[in-house]
Amino acid sequence: MSLEKPPRQRYATDESVDYDAIEELLGEHVLGRETHTDTEAFVIRPDEVQDVLFALRDEAGFDHLSLLVPQEYEDRYESIYYLTKYDDRTQEVGIVVPTAKDDPVSQTAEPVYRTADWHEREAFDLVGIEYEGHPDPRRILLPETWQGHPLALDYDQDRPQIVTLAEHENPIADDHYDEDTDTMFLNIGPHHPATHGVLHLKTVLDGEQVVDVDPDVGYLHRCEEQMAQNGTYRHQIMPYPDRWDYSSQPTNEYAYARTIEDMADIEVPEYAQILRTMSAEFGRMMGHFLALGTFCLDIYGDFTAIFMYAIRDREKVQDILEDLTGQRMMLNYFRVGGVVWDVPEPREEFFEKIRDFLDELPVATQEYHDLITSNEIFQKRTVDTGVLDRETAKQYGVTGPVARGSGIDYDLRRDDPYGYYPELDWNVVTEEAGDNYSRLLVRMREVEESARIIEQCVDLLESWPEDDRQVQANVPRTLRPDPDAEIYRAVEGAKGEVGIYMRSDGTDKPARFKIRSPCFHNLHALPEMAEGEYVADLVASLGSLDIILGEVDR
């Protein structure tokens, strides 16, 4: 008997996924095959979801459920599971699960991918598809008493709905003590100084230790997907992404730009790619500085010097982006096919301002390390608290600094290259411990890597021949992708994988627009990090996730 492992079946060629091999793996489960713009998809029965997904995860290595897209057609409902691999992001496959109009029930995927829990709750909430066997089939973004499903075709958008406090689960119910179990129910939020945005944590405590925590989201839900479906591809959708993660806007704009350009086969000029890459890294810096300052605010519980230092450096970045875009909050710098304009004149003055900032940054980062990472009190509060191990993080679809803080070497800028990143010299930052300290350390080191990228971009922009400074491609006035064209594309945002699914019906507006929010997935993992910890560590763990509720709720 040999102790050597048998050779694993290959499901990928040297350049792409071997879809024929996957079809053979799935065998009789496959009812049909579809070609999407970015990947192949297989149609399966609604009662065989788990068999198919277990096979793809365990046999073919698709360990990352990136997105679930629910939607309704005239003759059916449909759930699309987009799968990929943490080890190889370029390998993607879609699983399409149609269900009947009069019986929209599909088997839950939650036992295969834990992240399917929140995905499927949202799918029921907004579209109306039910998932048989789901462990917690509640609405997630709308109140339990909401009538209808806003993204269903027969939903009456003009019908007023008033959800009174008496009819809705009361989020400000009194905290109480349970004499039967010696536990205490404690509300944190919806508006609490230790939470960023409007978030309600329903916690069960045993003394000071967390027995259970249930994040209650949806207080900022603004139907961004539905608004995007009412906007034209070329002009009217691009302003929306700034509103999702309003702390690091350009990366969100990049997600939409990349998706529509791949769908409409638009090639962006090289010079515009450099401008995009530079602005995206400034956006990442803004997000990380805010995360650093507010995390320390959570830990120290006051407006400390660290918070003010972080806001100071974020302001410097914001000044640069204001010079570049003309806006301070909602930048709206990207356009389909490029960017709105070149760097401001005089160019030398603008580049000098960036170089001054980059020259001062090493001193600033050393200050942070002296004040934070080298601080014994801070280490005692963050080292070995809020631990999220690698495999659990994958189960929840965690990405960005939260994943890299758990040792997952996954970064779309390198693993699914776009923009000018492949031409530049920089590193993906990872830490192995998976605790609150690691996530902070990843963000601080990523600021330094962003500075390296920006410096190289500035060198290129300064030396670029004047005649070749093309900031936009020649884009048709009206974009009408082919009917039934479908695509899912993502970029590396400050919080992780920001993705967008779109389906075209041949008009100038998407028939379906679905947003993949990294904060939504990262927040879902909070109970895994907090259970068994102290209440103070729960607050620290929440801060270390760096969530923006506008992006969680969309």
Side-chain angles (χ1 to χ4, degrees), residues 435-501:
D435 56 12
N436 291 329
Y437 187 79
S438 296
R439 291 184 277 276
L440 174 83
L441 209 56
V442 167
R443 292 193 183 92
M444 291 180 66
R445 292 173 58 195
E446 285 189 355
V447 166
E448 297 170 12
E449 293 298 325
S450 292
R452 288 180 63 191
I453 294 172
I454 291 168
E455 188 171 24
Q456 294 170 70
C457 288
V458 169
D459 290 342
L460 289 165
L461 293 172
E462 280 182 319
S463 60
W464 208 263
E466 187 171 353
D467 293 341
D468 293 337
R469 293 174 190 165
Q470 187 181 356
V471 297
Q472 284 193 38
N474 186 16
V475 180
R477 182 181 297 273
T478 303
L479 293 175
R480 291 190 177 86
D482 295 336
D484 290 328
E486 297 178 70
I487 188 171
Y488 171 63
R489 272 282 172 257
V491 302
E492 188 68 33
K495 278 71 178 171
E497 182 177 337
V498 186
I500 293 172
Y501 163 88

Side-chain angles (χ1 to χ4, degrees), residues 389-404:
D389 66 73
R390 185 190 310 233
E391 294 308 314
T392 303
K394 289 181 178 179
Q395 270 289 308
Y396 283 84
V398 164
T399 54
V402 180
R404 292 190 285 276

Side-chain angles (χ1 to χ4, degrees), residues 255-268:
Y256 175 63
R258 188 183 188 200
T259 307
I260 182 57
E261 286 157 4
D262 281 4
M263 192 179 203
D265 196 21
I266 296 169
E267 187 170 349
V268 180

Side-chain angles (χ1 to χ4, degrees), residues 56-101:
L56 288 170
R57 189 194 71 179
D58 298 338
E59 300 296 327
F62 287 93
D63 57 353
H64 181 23
L65 171 55
S66 185
L67 181 69
L68 166 60
V69 181
Q71 53 189 326
E72 183 182 4
Y73 290 82
E74 292 295 339
D75 62 342
R76 68 186 187 281
Y77 287 88
E78 191 175 273
S79 302
I80 308 176
Y81 295 86
Y82 278 100
L83 310 178
T84 185
K85 300 178 180 180
Y86 278 102
D87 291 339
D88 186 354
R89 181 60 176 77
T90 60
Q91 295 194 36
E92 302 169 273
V93 65
I95 297 299
V96 180
V97 188
T99 53
K101 290 282 284 191

Side-chain angles (χ1 to χ4, degrees), residues 283-423:
R284 193 178 316 281
M285 278 186 168
M286 282 206 304
H288 284 358
F289 279 132
L290 186 64
L292 173 71
T294 53
F295 183 54
C296 292
L297 180 67
D298 289 333
I299 297 295
Y300 295 115
D302 198 355
F303 278 90
T304 61
I306 302 166
F307 179 82
M308 302 308 294
Y309 284 9
I311 295 302
R312 173 200 64 188
D313 291 328
R314 178 184 157 87
E315 285 288 302
K316 292 177 182 176
V317 177
Q318 209 155 13
D319 287 345
I320 293 170
L321 282 178
E322 186 177 4
D323 290 345
L324 178 64
T325 68
Q327 305 289 331
R328 193 161 184 84
M329 187 69 182
M330 301 303 165
L331 306 178
N332 198 20
Y333 182 59
F334 283 46
R335 294 292 182 275
V336 177
V339 295
V340 60
W341 47 52
D342 199 353
V343 299
E345 297 286 352
R347 296 168 62 88
E348 296 75 14
E349 188 175 308
F350 178 70
F351 292 135
E352 186 179 352
K353 188 172 185 177
I354 295 176
R355 291 195 184 284
D356 288 345
F357 167 72
L358 296 178
D359 289 343
E360 295 168 1
L361 193 60
V363 176
T365 53
Q366 186 56 52
E367 280 181 338
Y368 292 126
H369 283 294
D370 292 343
L371 287 166
I372 307 172
T373 57
S374 303
N375 185 311
E376 185 178 353
I377 297 173
F378 187 87
Q379 290 176 2
K380 284 185 177 297
R381 290 294 315 280
T382 57
V383 174
D384 291 335
T385 62
V387 174
L388 183 67
D389 66 73
R390 185 190 310 233
E391 294 308 314
T392 303
K394 289 181 178 179
Q395 270 289 308
Y396 283 84
V398 164
T399 54
V402 180
R404 292 190 285 276
S406 294
I408 300 174
D409 188 14
Y410 181 78
D411 190 315
L412 271 68
R413 293 175 291 176
R414 179 201 61 193
D415 300 335
D416 186 16
Y418 59 94
Y420 215 73
Y421 290 108
E423 312 299 325

Side-chain angles (χ1 to χ4, degrees), residues 94-143:
I95 297 299
V96 180
V97 188
T99 53
K101 290 282 284 191
D102 57 352
D103 186 26
V105 180
S106 176
Q107 189 180 46
T108 180
E110 191 273 341
V112 192
Y113 302 100
R114 189 73 184 86
T115 185
D117 180 348
W118 277 25
H119 274 298
E120 292 175 350
R121 283 178 63 187
E122 182 180 334
F124 167 73
D125 196 355
L126 300 186
V127 179
I129 302 173
E130 297 181 38
Y131 293 88
E132 191 171 28
H134 193 284
D136 187 16
R138 292 176 294 152
R139 288 182 181 270
I140 189 168
L141 296 178
L142 299 173

